[in-house]
Amino acid sequence: MSRSTAALTRNPLGVPGLRLDWPCGSLAPLAAAALALAQLLAVAPAFAQGRALEDSSFDCLVDAPARVKLSAAVPGLIEAIHVERGDRVKKGQLLVELESNVERAQLAIARSRARNDQPVKAAQARVKFTAQAADRIIRLKQTNPGAVTALQFDEVTSQADIAAFNLREAELNLEAAALDVERALAVLDQKRVVSPIDGIVVERTMEAGEYRNEQSSILTLAQIDPLQVEVFIPVAYYGATPPGRHAEVTFDAPLASRHQATVTVADQILDTGSGTFAVRLTLPNPDLAIPAGLRCRLRFQKD
C-alpha cells in the first residue's frame, strides 16, 4: 500500500474509544480535525460517565453575588458622602445625605404638635365638669321633680355628651400629630442613603455639593461575603451536584490557597451547544481576604 493511501491511527486527546484515521495528503489536517471533533462529541458523554465526578477538576470563576448602584429616593443637593472607594460598609449604615433643612424643620414642628397634649387635658377637665353637673341635675330631679325644668335637664345632659365628643376629637388630633411625625421621618429618610448589604464601596461617582437628578447614581457597592463560584459541568454529571454538596476551590498565586464551597444552585436548563450545565456555589469570605473576579479550579468532594 502506497504512502498516499496509507492510514495513520492517532488518539491525540487520549480519550478512550477515540480513533482518528486519515489518509496522508494535502487535505489530511482538515479532515483530521473534522473527524476528531465528531468522534470526541460522540464519546465524551461515555468518557465522563466512566469517571467519578470527584476525579475531575473544572475551571471556575469567583464573583460578587450582588452589585448595587445606590441613589437617593428623591433628587436633591448632596450634603455629605460618608464613605470612600474601598471602604467596608455594613447593612443599614448611613452613606449619603442630601440637603434636608426644610424636612428637618417640618419634623421638629410635627414632634412639637405630637407632644402637645393640652387640648386632651382640657377636654378631659370639661368632661369631668359636665358629668358632675349632669349628675347633680339628675339627683335633684329625682328628689324634687318640680325644681328642674325639662330644658335645664336637656341642656346639662347635652353638654356632657358634647364634652365627651370633644375629648374624643382631641385624642384623634393627638394621634394624627403622631402620624405626622412618622410622615415627616419618612420624608427625611428619602434624603438619606443607607447600605442595603454588607460589602465594600467599588465606585463613587458623585461628590458633596453636586445635584443628584433622577438618572444619576452616587455609589456602587459589591457584596463579597459570601462570594459565589460559577462552574460549568458536562451534562453526563447532571444530577450529581445537588444543593448542599461540597467542593474544594483552589486559587493560584498570589493567593495560592484552598477553600471549601457549597452548591446552592444547579441549573435545570442545559446548554446544548457546549454540552454543559451551570452550577453555582457559595464560598464564605468572612475576612474579605478573597477578591471577586478571580479564576480558580474546582474539585467536588465525595459525599
Side-chain angles (χ1 to χ4, degrees):
M1 184 179 300
S2 66
R3 180 174 179 81
S4 61
T5 58
L8 298 179
T9 301
R10 303 183 186 275
N11 188 355
L13 300 177
V15 179
L18 174 61
R19 179 181 179 84
L20 182 57
D21 299 329
W22 70 88
C24 295
S26 60
L27 296 180
L30 181 60
L35 184 59
L37 179 60
Q39 292 188 9
L40 179 59
L41 292 177
V43 304
F47 174 60
Q49 290 177 350
R51 301 181 60 184
L53 177 62
E54 55 269 15
D55 293 335
S56 302
S57 63
F58 307 94
D59 290 326
C60 56
L61 177 65
V62 175
D63 201 1
R67 294 179 183 268
V68 184
K69 289 184 177 292
L70 292 184
S71 183
V74 295
L77 187 69
I78 299 177
E79 186 175 272
I81 302 178
H82 301 294
V83 292
E84 298 288 345
R85 178 180 175 182
D87 288 350
R88 300 182 183 182
V89 297
K90 294 292 184 180
K91 184 176 181 179
Q93 179 181 339
L94 178 63
L95 305 180
V96 181
E97 292 181 277
L98 301 185
E99 193 279 324
S100 56
N101 292 332
V102 174
E103 289 76 13
R104 284 194 290 265
Q106 291 175 343
L107 176 60
I109 293 173
R111 283 174 170 168
S112 178
R113 290 174 177 171
R115 289 193 297 264
N116 182 20
D117 60 350
Q118 296 304 311
V120 174
K121 291 181 178 180
Q124 290 172 344
R126 183 64 180 173
V127 167
K128 182 178 179 180
F129 172 76
T130 55
Q132 291 173 347
D135 185 60
R136 286 194 296 268
I137 289 294
I138 292 173
R139 289 200 304 267
L140 180 59
K141 185 176 178 61
Q142 291 173 348
T143 57
N144 189 2
V148 179
T149 65
L151 180 59
Q152 290 174 327
F153 181 80
D154 292 341
E155 183 179 2
V156 172
T157 54
S158 297
Q159 288 178 352
D161 292 339
I162 294 173
F165 294 147
N166 290 337
L167 173 60
R168 182 54 182 160
E169 182 180 6
E171 291 173 344
L172 291 176
N173 290 336
L174 191 62
E175 293 177 5
L179 295 176
D180 281 340
V181 173
E182 295 183 9
R183 181 185 61 82
L185 282 172
V187 172
L188 183 60
D189 284 341
Q190 290 182 325
K191 295 299 186 77
R192 298 174 177 176
V193 180
V194 299
S195 174
I197 60 173
D198 293 337
I200 60 171
V201 180
V202 297
E203 186 179 14
R204 173 173 167 171
T205 56
M206 301 189 73
E207 299 294 335
E210 293 187 79
Y211 183 83
R212 194 210 76 81
N213 55 35
E214 290 83 354
Q215 289 77 32
S216 57
S217 62
I218 304 173
L219 298 170
T220 301
L221 306 182
Q223 179 183 352
I224 59 173
D225 180 32
L227 293 165
Q228 73 178 22
V229 182
E230 293 283 350
V231 61
F232 290 91
I233 308 297
V235 295
Y237 296 120
Y238 184 76
T241 57
R245 183 163 187 176
H246 299 296
E248 184 181 70
V249 179
T250 304
F251 296 101
D252 295 331
L255 293 183
S257 58
R258 297 181 178 181
H259 306 268
Q260 188 178 78
T262 305
V263 175
T264 55
V265 177
D267 282 357
Q268 297 184 358
I269 299 178
L270 309 180
D271 185 350
T272 56
S274 63
T276 61
F277 66 99
V279 177
R280 177 177 297 174
L281 302 92
T282 297
L283 176 62
N285 189 25
D287 54 358
L288 308 185
I290 307 173
L294 284 179
R295 295 193 176 275
C296 56
R297 294 290 295 175
L298 181 143
R299 182 183 296 272
F300 287 93
Q301 298 176 348
K302 291 185 179 181
D303 289 338

